Amino acid sequence: MRHLARLADYCSITNMHTKNLAIVWAPNLLRSKQIESACFSGTAAFMEVRIQSVVVEFILNHVDVLFSPKLSSVIRDGAGGPL
């Protein structure tokens, strides 16, 4: 995720903003067996992938907070206090 976030830093050159990166990478990062099954129609599959891309875009926009050592230590230690 940090690598993709760094790629987004060069969006002025590559035109790969976090939204574009999320659209491309979300189906691979958040693979869903439901989407791959035959029971999903084209519209339902599109909506599912759209949700996945929003989640990945959020993660890319907040990668420093979500993957910070401080947050990791709070989660690991089980402390419920504020960051």
Side-chain angles (χ1 to χ4, degrees):
M1 285 304 212
R2 286 187 191 274
H3 176 70
L4 293 177
R6 274 187 294 239
L7 284 175
D9 290 340
Y10 295 95
C11 65
S12 62
I13 299 168
T14 64
N15 202 33
M16 290 302 284
H17 307 277
T18 54
K19 184 175 188 125
N20 292 345
L21 288 167
I23 290 168
V24 171
W25 283 97
N28 292 306
L29 295 172
L30 301 176
R31 188 173 207 111
S32 172
K33 289 184 181 186
Q34 290 177 335
I35 291 175
E36 294 173 1
S37 71
C39 67
F40 261 70
S41 69
T43 303
F46 174 76
M47 290 306 293
E48 188 73 19
V49 169
R50 187 166 180 228
I51 292 167
Q52 289 174 339
S53 69
V54 169
V55 170
V56 171
E57 184 179 2
F58 176 85
I59 293 170
L60 290 175
N61 285 328
H62 299 91
V63 73
D64 291 334
V65 174
L66 294 171
F67 297 101
S68 74
K70 186 175 182 179
L71 181 62
S72 296
S73 67
V74 168
I75 292 170
R76 183 181 59 247
D77 297 338
L83 297 176

